[in-house]
């Protein structure tokens, strides 16, 4: 892994720090405007809605244009949007919805170009290591450092976390600008739907997509009113809410760093994560009444999520043709992330009508059912090669 990889990795980690700050600060900002669970869930809904609308066009652009230039443009746009949010933070809740939508739209581009850029800067046999480090650094920045910092900055001054977030995107853009990659000549306009069709024809990727989409739907359901869960069930303040989110990072860091070794040594690693994740959620909602207990379950859940992410990302980068990688990745993003606005809406409505614990019970039930139905397919197609240290599925 050379200079380009480390610049890309550093830029990703710094921008993830800003995302972590934003993750805690935006719902806290919403609670200063309203305490209505439906309206607060609306912030998550509009923030996730662009994954349905912009994922496929972003993937087509990633396969057609120079990925580094697209990434730079997206980072500067996000920087400008964060500065705008900082300046008008006391506006109506509808303004928060609009800003969440625009920021989510801009985020589609880095996610689409990230997969091709990683593949272009890392040798094939090092993909697990690269993805593991990427997951670990993002877990530290996005979940461990970012949310507590966002909560603390919010307590100091309401616009402070958004100004710091703008700064992180600017620094990330400067790092990416130092990458020296071969300039890509724009190709003929690719068809965005080709990536979706390729994804649907690949049995293993199709199974992975269903499991990942269900997981994200369930997470969106619980995250939509998580700030109220933390305040009312755990009695946490703004800074405490940031610390609550940070507990998720501990397992994510360990999972990212250990994924390469676990996938090479244990054949059933991937299927084990499928079973353990909903069990941890069940523990959170049934026996966890304080931050320490919640953290114990959350660490195991985030560990499994990171291992699953490393395995599936590395697999996708290997089996998808380079000229289709942006579109296939975005097609998978469309499905797996596009369900989040639905989850946020369902989570808000469920919490409003049945209480703050209801979304957790629904999430556990749904994720358990889909996970159990997917186990046979995953066991059939997963092949662990000790030489490659990777999961390997047959092509369609």
């Amino acid at each position: 892994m050379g200079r380009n990889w480390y610049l890309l990795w550093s830029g990703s980690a710094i921008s993830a720090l800003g995302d972590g700050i934003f993750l805690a600060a935006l719902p806290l900002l919403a609670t200063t405007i309203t305490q209505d669970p439906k309206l607060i869930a609306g912030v998550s809904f509009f923030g996730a809605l662009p994954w349905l609308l912009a994922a496929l066009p972003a993937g087509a652009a990633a396969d057609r244009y120079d990925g580094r230039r697209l990434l730079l443009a997206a980072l500067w746009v996000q920087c400008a949007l964060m500065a705008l949010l900082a300046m008008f933070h006391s506006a109506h809740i509808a303004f928060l919805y609009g800003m969440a939508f625009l920021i989510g739209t801009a985020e589609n581009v880095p996610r689409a170009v990230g997969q091709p850029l990683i593949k272009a800067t890392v040798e094939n046999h090092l993909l697990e290591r690269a993805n593991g480090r990427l997951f670990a650094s993002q877990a530290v920045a996005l979940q461990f450092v970012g949310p507590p910092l966002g909560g603390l900055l919010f307590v100091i001054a309401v616009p402070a976390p958004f100004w710091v977030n703008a700064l992180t995107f600017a620094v990330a853009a400067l790092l990416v600008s130092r990458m020296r990659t071969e300039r890509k000549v724009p190709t003929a306009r690719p068809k965005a739907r080709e990536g979706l069709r390729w994804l649907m024809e690949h049995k293993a990727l199709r199974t992975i997509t269903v499991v990942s989409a269900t997981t994200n739907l369930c997470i969106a359901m619980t995250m939509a009113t998580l700030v109220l869960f933390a305040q009312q069930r755990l009695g946490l303040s703004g800074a405490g809410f940031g610390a609550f989110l940070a507990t998720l990072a501990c397992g994510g860091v360990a999972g990212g760093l250990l994924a390469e070794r676990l996938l090479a040594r244990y054949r059933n690693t991937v299927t084990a994560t499928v079973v353990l994740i909903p069990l941890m959620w069940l523990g959170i909602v049934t026996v966890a009444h304080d931050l320490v207990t919640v953290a114990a379950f959350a660490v195991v859940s985030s560990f499994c999520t990171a291992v699953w992410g490393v395995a599936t990302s590395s697999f996708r980068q290997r089996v998808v043709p380079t000229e289709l990688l942006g579109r296939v990745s975005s097609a998978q993003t469309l499905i797996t992330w596009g369900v989040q606005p639905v989850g946020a809406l369902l989570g808000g409505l469920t919490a409003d009508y049945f209480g703050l614990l209801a979304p957790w019970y629904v999430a556990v039930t749904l994720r358990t059912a889909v996970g159990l139905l997917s186990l046979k397919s995953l066991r059939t197609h997963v092949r662990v090669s000790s030489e490659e240290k990777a999961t390997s599925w047959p092509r369609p």
Side-chain angles (χ1 to χ4, degrees):
M1 294 185 286
R3 180 177 181 271
N4 285 331
W5 155 250
Y6 285 106
L7 287 170
L8 180 64
W9 182 24
S10 301
S12 175
I14 292 174
S15 64
L17 173 63
D19 290 337
I21 293 172
F22 185 69
L23 184 66
L26 189 63
L28 288 172
L29 180 59
T31 62
T32 65
I33 300 174
T34 179
Q35 288 288 306
D36 189 327
K38 296 189 298 296
L39 294 179
I40 291 177
V43 176
S44 297
F45 173 81
F46 283 101
L49 186 60
W51 299 110
L52 279 173
L53 304 178
L56 290 183
D63 284 337
R64 184 183 186 189
Y65 299 106
D66 184 84
R68 188 183 71 89
R69 290 177 177 270
L70 284 175
L71 180 56
L72 275 174
L75 289 171
W76 285 120
V77 168
Q78 289 173 290
C79 176
L81 289 173
M82 286 298 172
L84 189 63
L85 183 57
M87 289 186 286
F88 299 99
H89 62 274
S90 59
H92 192 271
I93 188 71
F95 177 73
L96 263 64
Y97 291 168
M99 293 305 298
F101 180 82
L102 292 175
I103 292 167
T105 300
E107 179 61 25
N108 273 270
V109 175
R111 183 165 291 274
V113 303
Q115 294 292 308
L117 282 176
I118 292 173
K119 188 171 183 177
T121 56
V122 177
E123 295 179 12
N124 198 54
H125 68 283
L126 294 175
L127 284 173
E128 275 78 23
R129 185 175 305 172
N131 284 309
R133 291 181 180 181
L134 186 65
F135 269 79
S137 61
Q138 287 183 338
V140 171
L142 182 61
Q143 298 173 331
F144 190 71
V145 179
L149 181 58
L152 178 61
L153 290 170
F154 188 87
V155 171
I156 295 173
V158 172
F162 306 107
W163 283 120
V164 173
N165 201 351
L167 179 61
T168 62
F169 284 121
V171 173
L174 292 175
L175 287 169
V176 172
S177 68
R178 296 178 61 84
M179 292 177 62
R180 295 293 179 263
T181 58
E182 183 178 350
R183 185 173 180 179
K184 182 178 180 179
V185 179
T187 60
R189 184 181 298 276
K191 296 179 180 179
R193 64 178 180 273
E194 290 179 354
L196 185 60
R197 184 171 63 248
W198 202 97
L199 175 64
M200 290 297 99
E201 291 176 353
H202 197 291
K203 186 173 183 179
L205 276 179
R206 191 169 65 242
T207 301
I208 290 169
T209 301
V210 170
V211 175
S212 296
T214 305
T215 302
N216 285 345
L217 174 72
C218 295
I219 290 174
M221 288 184 63
T222 59
M223 289 293 291
T225 54
L226 188 65
V227 64
L228 296 178
F229 178 90
Q231 290 175 347
Q232 297 178 23
R233 182 177 172 89
L234 303 179
L236 300 178
S237 62
F241 177 62
F244 173 53
L245 295 179
T247 61
L248 300 175
C250 299
V253 173
L257 294 176
L258 296 176
E260 180 186 13
R261 187 175 303 172
L262 290 173
L263 292 167
R265 178 172 294 184
Y266 301 108
R267 180 183 180 87
N268 294 321
T269 297
V270 173
T271 52
T273 66
V274 173
V275 175
L276 286 173
I277 289 173
L279 288 178
M280 297 304 104
W281 296 350
L282 183 61
I284 290 175
V285 73
T286 54
V287 302
H289 296 277
D290 58 85
L291 182 58
V292 174
T293 311
V294 168
F297 289 107
V299 164
V300 179
S301 175
S302 58
F303 179 92
C304 294
T305 302
V307 173
W308 168 269
V310 171
T312 56
S313 295
S314 303
F315 167 66
R316 181 176 60 245
Q317 290 159 356
R318 278 196 176 89
V319 301
V320 179
T322 301
E323 65 275 11
L324 276 170
L325 185 54
R327 280 168 287 173
V328 172
S329 297
S330 292
Q332 201 167 32
T333 297
L334 169 69
I335 299 171
T336 59
W337 288 70
V339 298
Q340 290 191 55
V342 178
L345 183 62
L346 289 175
L349 292 173
T350 304
D352 186 51
Y353 286 106
F354 302 104
L356 291 176
L357 298 184
W360 288 89
Y361 285 113
V362 174
V364 169
T365 302
L366 180 60
R367 179 57 175 75
T368 299
V370 172
L372 291 176
L373 289 173
S374 71
L375 286 179
K376 182 178 179 180
S377 178
L378 289 173
R379 288 196 185 105
T380 300
H381 295 287
V382 174
R383 299 289 184 271
V384 179
S385 168
S386 60
E387 295 180 358
E388 292 185 350
K389 298 182 180 179
T391 55
S392 177
W393 285 278
R395 292 175 179 271

